[in-house]
Amino acid sequence: MKRRWLIYTIIGIMFGIVDFYYQGFLSNFFMRNQYFNSSTGEIAWIVLSVGIWLLPIVPIALYEVRISRSRVRPALACSLTWCATITSYYLTNAVQLAFIGVPTRLEMHISNRLDPFFWDNWKSELLYDVGGSIVGWGVVALVGGFIIGFIISLIYLYLRKNPNFKRAKHMENS
């Protein structure tokens, strides 16, 4: 395996952890400031919460298409990155429940492990909430990442062949 594919995976893992806390911050911000009640607030929330997912894969797709000159490899790189992101996002959720604690889910905190239903709660959490979400959103990440990576590579390769793009790029470097 090439080193860059490992780097794509690490970027995905790190982005999933950051995104977990970013999504919580974003939700709290919009709810606390009551921007969410307006249509403009809803649109802003959607753009900010979904648009951030382009942050890791656009540079990865551009780098991969420059290196490989392929349409498929950038698409695969984006799928890999987003799948790693989804997995780390939901595992971060599980770690937070177990070790940091969430006021509404105190039964999941590791300090309550002597509770007779503790392990049953965790079994349910891991199978359905974490595992089900990883599988469900993993399909979206796999397909969506592939499509976006493929589109980015198509645009890049088209622009590389376009003589006007080459001329503008040459003038920019002069």
Side-chain angles (χ1 to χ4, degrees):
M1 182 165 97
K2 302 253 184 197
R3 184 180 297 170
R4 67 182 186 263
W5 291 87
L6 178 61
I7 291 170
Y8 301 157
T9 304
I10 292 169
I11 289 170
I13 291 168
M14 292 173 63
F15 181 73
I17 294 166
V18 169
D19 188 58
F20 177 79
Y21 292 104
Y22 170 76
Q23 296 295 337
F25 164 78
L26 202 62
S27 293
N28 287 337
F29 175 79
F30 276 94
M31 294 301 172
R32 187 175 46 246
N33 294 309
Q34 298 178 350
Y35 291 125
F36 194 73
N37 295 333
S38 68
S39 60
T40 307
E42 289 179 18
I43 292 169
W45 180 77
I46 289 170
V47 167
L48 290 172
S49 65
V50 176
I52 194 168
W53 279 70
L54 295 174
L55 207 67
I57 66 165
V58 169
I60 286 172
L62 290 173
Y63 180 76
E64 187 61 34
V65 73
R66 277 187 221 127
I67 296 294
S68 68
R69 302 277 187 248
S70 167
R71 291 181 195 102
V72 174
R73 286 187 181 175
L76 292 173
C78 291
S79 289
L80 172 69
T81 304
W82 271 4
C83 285
T85 298
I86 291 293
T87 303
S88 70
Y89 179 94
Y90 285 104
L91 290 178
T92 301
N93 183 26
V95 167
Q96 183 182 30
L97 287 173
F99 298 108
I100 298 170
V102 177
T104 58
R105 304 282 312 268
L106 292 176
E107 77 278 3
M108 303 302 287
H109 194 273
I110 196 75
S111 64
N112 293 328
R113 68 184 174 281
L114 297 178
D115 184 280
F117 300 108
F118 178 78
W119 293 111
D120 288 333
N121 290 340
W122 267 104
K123 178 182 173 187
S124 176
E125 178 73 20
L126 292 174
L127 283 176
Y128 302 109
D129 291 345
V130 174
S133 297
I134 289 173
V135 170
W137 283 105
V139 171
V140 173
L142 194 65
V143 174
F146 190 89
I147 290 169
I148 291 174
F150 193 80
I151 290 170
I152 291 170
S153 65
L154 279 176
I155 292 169
Y156 179 83
L157 292 172
Y158 172 77
L159 291 176
R160 290 263 317 161
K161 290 180 184 176
N162 187 340
N164 293 331
F165 176 72
K166 287 182 183 177
R167 197 172 319 124
K169 187 177 177 184
H170 177 69
M171 294 176 124
E172 193 176 279
N173 291 335
S174 297

